[in-house]
Amino acid sequence: MGVKTELTLKQLCQLFPKYDFKQIIPTTNGIMDTTYIVKNSSDAYILKKYEREMGKKVQTEQALLEHLLTCKLNTPQYLEENKGWYLYTKLQGSMPKTTKLFHIQALARFLAEFHNQSKDFTNARPFLAAYEINKMLGFVKKNHYAYYKKLSCVKNIRQKEEGFIHGDIFKDNTLFHKNNIAVFDFIDGGLGEFAFDTAVALLSFNPKNRQLFTRVFLATYNQKKKRKITPAELQKQRNTAAAFYALLRINHDKKTKRAKEMYNAS
């Protein structure tokens, strides 16, 4: 579900009166926070309420989005906040149902430019610091021991802090319009390793012809990056990312179905 806190159109207009909103639409994607699409007579926007303790994450994301806006990357613009509700611009496009070669190329171009720009954005916590990995492994050990044996390697993850990574570029955090990609929800990002960031993205954009698409991705990404990612490095990080997100899914879902899908995607 994309909505945990309900909001009426009247309440929305009281929060942000200058926008003269006419419609509020609940979303179904997302498992952590409340997200609405809100519209007035001329534009559509994204309205979010974070349903967890965020600390400085919101301020970090706002600073990052402001930086990326100057770089002309297709990311949302933060507009304003009132009583814990955050308003952003809505990006154009739709989430792809099937992965095509041009999706992979657009993804690679975006990540290469994003990493070029985010390498100097160091005012953030390490990506892994937000996750209680040992606590999550304890739950899996107690309740799903067979998976614990597969996922216990996660406790040894060590990431170089090459710059700010999104860390969660799954399909539902992207939109495509023609050959252009838009990426959103940087809220859980942090300092980490660029190869891990690319591996996470490729886990979601996981086509049947994976070898071809991975070669095309690396060729496109490395063309725009000084620090190249090798196929072996990407595969190692793909295994790490698959185990990490399988661990997160078991802890969130309290069952293994979605974790199995993620683990097998590596």
Side-chain angles (χ1 to χ4, degrees):
M1 293 296 293
V3 170
K4 289 180 169 57
T5 300
E6 294 187 357
L7 190 73
T8 66
L9 180 59
K10 181 179 179 180
Q11 291 170 326
L12 170 65
C13 292
Q14 290 171 342
L15 287 170
F16 303 100
K18 73 178 184 182
Y19 290 90
D20 192 24
F21 286 119
K22 305 294 186 185
Q23 191 176 11
I24 179 168
I25 306 167
T27 65
T28 56
N29 288 335
I31 58 175
M32 299 293 288
D33 304 307
T34 290
T35 305
Y36 285 97
I37 298 171
V38 295
K39 297 180 178 181
N40 56 22
S41 57
S42 57
D43 291 301
Y45 303 81
I46 296 296
L47 182 69
K48 294 188 73 75
K49 183 176 181 63
Y50 298 106
E51 306 284 358
R52 51 202 163 116
E53 179 58 44
M54 300 306 294
K56 294 183 178 180
K57 280 187 172 184
V58 175
Q59 291 80 6
T60 299
E61 185 193 43
Q62 289 172 9
L64 176 70
L65 291 178
E66 185 176 349
H67 173 67
L68 296 180
L69 184 65
T70 65
C71 306
K72 302 188 185 304
L73 280 169
N74 198 7
T75 55
Q77 180 182 355
Y78 164 71
L79 298 173
E80 56 183 284
E81 177 271 341
N82 191 4
K83 296 183 179 180
W85 290 92
Y86 294 84
L87 191 65
Y88 301 84
T89 56
K90 185 181 183 302
L91 301 169
Q92 189 176 10
S94 59
M95 186 175 68
K97 294 180 180 179
T98 58
T99 302
K100 306 293 185 181
L101 196 59
F102 75 89
H103 293 131
I104 294 294
Q105 292 170 312
L107 179 66
R109 287 193 298 269
F110 178 92
L111 276 166
E113 184 58 29
F114 171 56
H115 293 158
N116 283 336
Q117 300 298 334
S118 72
K119 68 181 186 300
D120 298 322
F121 192 89
T122 57
N123 186 23
R125 293 180 68 197
F127 175 76
L128 293 175
Y131 299 93
E132 298 178 292
I133 290 178
N134 288 333
K135 182 179 179 180
M136 290 191 292
L137 282 171
F139 171 82
V140 176
K141 184 176 183 179
K142 180 179 179 180
N143 296 280
H144 305 283
Y145 188 73
Y147 269 87
Y148 172 75
K149 291 191 291 185
K150 295 178 180 179
L151 303 180
S152 59
C153 60
V154 172
K155 65 184 175 183
N156 298 320
I157 295 178
R158 299 291 183 273
Q159 285 199 342
K160 294 179 286 186
E161 295 180 5
E162 296 181 305
F164 192 97
I165 65 172
H166 186 293
D168 192 25
I169 301 183
F170 286 82
K171 278 187 180 180
D172 57 2
N173 282 331
T174 66
L175 295 170
F176 284 84
H177 179 63
K178 298 181 180 179
N179 290 338
N180 298 317
I181 185 175
V183 177
F184 50 93
D185 273 357
F186 292 80
I187 194 71
D188 290 314
L191 300 181
E193 200 159 340
F194 293 150
F196 178 84
D197 213 14
T198 63
V200 171
L202 286 173
L203 281 175
S204 179
F205 289 82
N206 193 15
K208 293 180 179 179
N209 194 347
R210 195 173 79 181
Q211 289 185 341
L212 170 63
F213 279 53
T214 300
R215 287 199 303 270
V216 170
F217 176 92
L218 283 176
T220 306
Y221 179 91
N222 287 335
Q223 189 178 34
K224 297 181 178 296
K225 285 283 293 175
K226 290 182 179 179
R227 218 286 274 171
K228 314 299 184 185
I229 296 177
T230 67
E233 183 181 11
L234 180 60
Q235 184 57 50
K236 179 182 177 181
Q237 291 291 343
R238 187 196 291 266
N239 294 339
T240 299
F244 175 74
Y245 272 98
L247 179 65
L248 262 60
R249 287 183 172 186
I250 291 178
N251 274 263
H252 181 269
D253 298 342
K254 310 304 180 189
K255 52 189 177 182
T256 62
K257 180 179 178 181
R258 293 177 69 243
K260 183 178 180 180
E261 293 171 355
M262 178 56 61
Y263 189 79
N264 290 340
S266 65

